[in-house]
Amino acid sequence: MGLPMSDPTAWATAMNNLGMAPLGMTGQPLLPDFDPALGMMTGIPPINPMMPGLGIVPPPIPPDMPAVKEIIHCKSCTLFPPNPHLPPPATRERPPGCKTVFVGGLPENSTEQIIMEVFEQCGEVIAIRKSKKNFCHIRFAEEFMVDKALYLSGYRIRLGSSTDKKDTGRLHVDFAQARDDLYEWECKQRMLAREERHRRRLEEERFRPPSPPPVVHYSDHECSIVAEKLKDDTKFLEAIQTLLTWIERGEVNRRTANNFYSMIQSANSHIRRLVNEKAAHEKEMEEAKEKFKLALSGILVQFEQIVAVYHSASKQKAWDHFTKAQRKNISVWCKQAEEIRNIHNDELMGIRREEEMEMSDEEIEDPSEMKETEELALVSQVEALKEENDSLRWQLDAYRNEVELLKQEQGKASRDEDTTKEQQMKLLQQALQGMQKHLLKIQDEYKKREAELEKVREDKLKMKTLLENLKEQQSIADEEDKERDAVDCQGNESSASRVCVCSQEKDCPVEKTLSNSPVKSEREVLLVGIISTFLHVHPFGASIEYICSYLQRLDSKICTAEVEVLMTRLQNTFRQELSGVGASLEKRWKFCGFDGLKMT
């Protein structure tokens, strides 16, 4: 408000901004109606910061309204904001500890200097890895700088003032997953975990109870100190613990036996002190019991007086003058007082019974004391009987009053009982209906299960009959196969006999060779052929067990001894060799028929 008079336009502009008419522009006093007591001009309302035109406190921006992006001018390029009505660009899920961003849509003529110029506004750039395909990866120093870089996603970039396609592009900024970021994040997490473990360890050590002090080693000096402590009641526990540790360590020997005996003797003398202390505590306990008994008897007397007041108030002379609510309260109070009195009375009688049972044998032997105790017991029993008689009489009066109250309330209760009975009947009927429905459901399920069981039984019978038929068919087929095999064998034998006859007629020397051959049957001939084929396939030979395992697949009746005897007979066809060294020595059979043919 201290503007000079030589600048009237500035004053008028300020007044117009405040929403007031301009005053004092011709050299007149600026504030003619100013009231210094009020601190404001008369006729003008006080200035409010929320008045239109001031704009001191801007209105709050609604959260749904998108932030308006502006044009960003750099030295060698210009960034134009995207359309605010378009949805925000999509981004992938943020990796943990992400400090690297992917930037796509760069102009073809862009360089690392231009990229650094654009993105160094977001924060300190550690490294830029640029590709030839118009994209790059930028690594920042901190994680929050990545959020600033994502703000530039969607901007159109133009290098200089050129409109060439190679000088323009649309930026796409997204999170990038880099091993360096993940490694730094994991290191940070491990450091935080170590700090947390260290903090927990310190907390545990702080709350851990202190360990007991170590027990000193035995020496004559320490022995004398412990012996003095054993005689002191305040330090006995510490000394006895030290003595126990020394004995368990094996410090007792011939030289120290006397010292240890004196310490054990001191410990034994402490037993007498403990017994005396126990007797003193028992005496204090007896005195406390006597005080408690006296206090309890005084309390019982007061209860008796209070109950007597209630009973006198419940008599007809005074009872008729009370209201119904007052009578009810008096009766309730009387019941409570009688219950508490009976509890205390039982407690007092229990204490007296315990005292009677704890009498020692010496007191029982003394006849005079016995008489006194009997008289005291009789007196106490008489007093107890009197108290019980009074309590029973008061209880009888209370019961009479209760009966009268019950008669009055019975009329009201009968009506309530009728309604409750009807409700119970309805509930029972509903429950019975539910049980009947449940039984019907169970019966239906039972019938369904029986039908399913019958179907299963029928299926089992059908399966059994089918199995029997299949067995019969199988047996018939086996018999037919046996008959065919027999017929085939007979045909083979007849053909073989014919061939033999023909060969005898044609060539007599062949008969001599067959009679002298090591092969004695057609089965052995077949075995020789199969073994020869098997060993021909295995040029390095095979063991007898391997050969027999192959033959037993064809005929399970073949044995190893039979095959080995047959192969030893045919020395020109099969040869046995030893292979291997030491423990791996192994006998192998090889086929040598071609060599034997050349030799013959």
Side-chain angles (χ1 to χ4, degrees):
M1 302 298 283
L3 290 173
M5 294 300 296
S6 60
D7 192 5
T9 57
W11 174 248
T13 304
M15 296 299 286
N16 285 326
N17 289 334
L18 292 172
M20 308 177 197
L23 299 173
M25 297 206 305
T26 59
Q28 297 176 0
L30 289 175
L31 303 175
D33 299 328
F34 183 77
D35 188 359
L38 297 175
M40 62 181 71
M41 290 183 291
T42 58
I44 301 174
I47 298 173
N48 187 358
M50 298 302 291
M51 286 174 61
L54 287 178
I56 297 172
V57 181
I61 300 172
D64 298 335
M65 183 180 293
V68 179
K69 296 183 178 181
E70 298 178 353
I71 298 173
I72 301 172
H73 297 281
C74 300
K75 291 181 181 179
S76 56
C77 63
T78 308
L79 300 176
F80 298 93
N83 189 354
H85 300 291
L86 293 176
T91 57
R92 61 181 291 179
E93 185 179 357
R94 182 167 189 159
C98 180
K99 296 180 183 179
T100 307
V101 294
F102 166 83
V103 182
L106 293 170
E108 293 183 11
N109 295 332
S110 62
T111 61
E112 289 189 7
Q113 293 178 355
I114 295 171
I115 296 168
M116 177 69 75
E117 183 182 348
V118 174
F119 285 95
E120 70 180 355
Q121 302 173 12
C122 301
E124 182 184 355
V125 177
I126 294 176
I128 296 176
R129 295 189 296 273
K130 189 177 182 300
S131 176
K132 296 179 181 179
K133 296 184 179 181
N134 303 331
F135 70 87
C136 70
H137 289 85
I138 303 172
R139 189 161 188 261
F140 291 97
E142 299 295 337
E143 294 183 24
F144 68 89
M145 299 175 184
V146 174
D147 300 324
K148 294 182 179 180
L150 288 175
Y151 179 79
L152 299 177
S153 184
Y155 269 80
R156 288 182 293 107
I157 184 170
R158 187 179 70 187
L159 304 179
S161 59
S162 176
T163 58
D164 190 6
K165 287 186 178 180
K166 293 184 178 181
D167 295 332
T168 59
R170 185 180 294 277
L171 297 178
H172 174 68
V173 186
D174 197 356
F175 299 109
Q177 191 168 6
R179 284 179 291 181
D180 296 339
D181 299 343
L182 184 61
Y183 176 74
E184 288 182 3
W185 181 78
E186 288 177 351
C187 290
K188 189 176 179 180
Q189 294 298 318
R190 285 195 290 271
M191 183 183 69
L192 292 173
R194 284 196 298 271
E195 291 177 356
E196 181 65 21
R197 287 196 298 272
H198 181 66
R199 188 185 62 78
R200 288 182 181 175
R201 197 179 298 114
L202 291 176
E203 289 290 331
E204 290 176 359
E205 290 177 358
R206 191 162 62 88
F207 289 108
R208 186 180 299 163
S211 58
V215 179
V216 296
H217 291 281
Y218 176 81
S219 65
D220 294 337
H221 176 67
E222 295 293 337
C223 179
S224 61
I225 293 171
V226 171
E228 292 296 328
K229 287 182 180 180
L230 286 171
K231 297 175 183 178
D232 190 358
D233 294 339
T234 57
K235 300 179 181 179
F236 178 80
L237 289 175
E238 181 184 354
I240 199 71
Q241 186 66 33
T242 306
L243 177 61
L244 177 62
T245 306
W246 284 348
I247 294 171
E248 289 178 352
R249 284 180 184 174
E251 301 287 349
V252 182
N253 52 34
R254 288 185 179 180
R255 187 177 66 83
T256 60
N258 294 328
N259 295 333
F260 276 99
Y261 179 76
S262 62
M263 287 189 286
I264 292 169
Q265 193 174 8
S266 299
N268 185 37
S269 63
H270 188 72
I271 294 172
R272 299 170 190 169
R273 295 198 295 271
L274 293 176
V275 170
N276 294 331
E277 189 177 353
K278 182 188 173 185
H281 288 306
E282 286 178 351
K283 187 176 180 181
E284 290 177 0
M285 188 176 68
E286 293 293 333
E287 291 176 356
K289 279 185 179 179
E290 290 293 331
K291 289 180 181 179
F292 175 71
K293 192 163 61 173
L294 292 172
L296 192 60
S297 59
I299 290 168
L300 282 173
V301 170
Q302 294 176 15
F303 269 115
E304 294 292 342
Q305 293 174 355
I306 293 167
V307 171
V309 169
Y310 288 142
H311 285 296
S312 61
S314 61
K315 292 180 181 179
Q316 193 172 4
K317 292 180 180 179
W319 190 256
D320 295 337
H321 300 286
F322 295 117
T323 62
K324 188 175 181 181
Q326 291 172 348
R327 292 175 185 174
K328 192 172 183 180
N329 290 334
I330 290 169
S331 60
V332 170
W333 294 339
C334 184
K335 288 180 186 177
Q336 292 176 354
E338 287 176 351
E339 289 175 359
I340 297 169
R341 184 202 59 192
N342 293 333
I343 291 168
H344 289 330
N345 193 10
D346 294 338
E347 190 174 355
L348 183 61
M349 294 298 292
I351 292 169
R352 289 173 180 172
R353 291 193 200 98
E354 288 177 0
E355 289 177 353
E356 291 174 1
M357 292 173 67
E358 287 176 357
M359 283 191 305
S360 62
D361 298 334
E362 295 177 358
E363 293 175 351
I364 292 170
E365 289 175 0
D366 193 354
S368 61
E369 291 181 357
M370 285 178 62
K371 289 179 182 179
E372 290 178 359
T373 52
E374 287 178 359
E375 290 177 357
L376 291 171
L378 290 171
V379 170
S380 61
Q381 288 178 1
V382 169
E383 290 178 355
L385 289 172
K386 285 181 180 179
E387 291 175 356
E388 289 179 1
N389 189 13
D390 295 336
S391 64
L392 289 171
R393 187 176 67 253
W394 293 327
Q395 286 178 8
L396 182 61
D397 296 335
Y399 288 148
R400 286 175 183 172
N401 295 328
E402 287 179 3
V403 168
E404 291 178 358
L405 291 171
L406 288 171
K407 285 179 180 179
Q408 294 175 1
E409 294 176 356
Q410 190 174 5
K412 296 179 181 179
S414 60
R415 299 172 187 175
D416 297 335
E417 287 177 359
D418 295 335
T419 55
T420 53
K421 284 180 181 178
E422 290 178 358
Q423 291 177 357
Q424 288 176 359
M425 288 293 290
K426 289 180 181 179
L427 291 172
L428 289 171
Q429 288 175 359
Q430 291 176 359
L432 286 171
Q433 289 176 359
M435 292 290 288
Q436 288 175 357
K437 291 178 181 179
H438 187 61
L439 284 171
L440 292 172
K441 288 180 181 178
I442 291 170
Q443 288 177 358
D444 295 336
E445 290 180 359
Y446 180 71
K447 289 178 181 178
K448 289 179 182 177
R449 296 285 172 82
E450 284 185 347
E452 290 176 358
L453 284 171
E454 289 178 357
K455 288 181 181 178
V456 170
R457 288 171 185 170
E458 292 176 357
D459 293 338
K460 283 185 179 180
L461 291 172
K462 290 179 181 179
M463 291 294 290
K464 285 181 181 178
T465 53
L466 286 170
L467 286 171
E468 290 176 357
N469 293 331
L470 288 171
K471 287 180 181 178
E472 291 176 359
Q473 291 176 3
Q474 186 67 27
S475 61
I476 292 166
D478 293 339
E479 290 176 358
E480 289 178 356
D481 292 337
K482 288 179 182 178
E483 290 175 358
R484 288 175 187 172
D485 293 338
V487 171
D488 293 337
C489 290
Q490 290 176 2
N492 292 330
E493 288 176 358
S494 62
S495 61
S497 62
R498 289 173 189 172
V499 171
C500 290
V501 170
C502 293
S503 62
Q504 287 175 3
E505 291 175 356
K506 290 180 181 179
D507 197 1
C508 292
V510 174
E511 185 177 358
K512 292 177 182 179
T513 57
L514 287 170
S515 61
N516 295 325
S517 66
V519 181
K520 297 179 181 180
S521 65
E522 183 180 0
R523 184 169 180 272
E524 291 182 351
V525 172
L526 291 171
L527 286 173
V528 169
I530 294 167
I531 294 167
S532 301
T533 306
F534 179 77
L535 291 175
H536 185 63
V537 175
H538 296 78
F540 296 103
S543 63
I544 190 67
E545 290 83 4
Y546 187 23
I547 297 167
C548 290
S549 65
Y550 177 74
L551 294 173
Q552 284 174 357
R553 294 180 186 175
L554 304 174
D555 188 3
S556 60
K557 296 178 182 179
I558 294 170
C559 61
T560 307
E562 181 184 357
V563 175
E564 192 171 5
V565 169
L566 178 62
M567 293 175 73
T568 52
R569 275 190 280 154
L570 300 170
Q571 296 179 357
N572 295 327
T573 307
F574 305 108
R575 183 173 69 252
Q576 189 177 17
E577 293 181 355
L578 295 174
S579 63
V581 178
S584 63
L585 195 65
E586 186 181 9
K587 293 181 179 180
R588 289 179 175 270
W589 288 91
K590 291 186 178 181
F591 178 70
C592 60
F594 299 117
D595 298 337
L597 183 63
K598 291 176 183 179
M599 291 171 64
T600 55

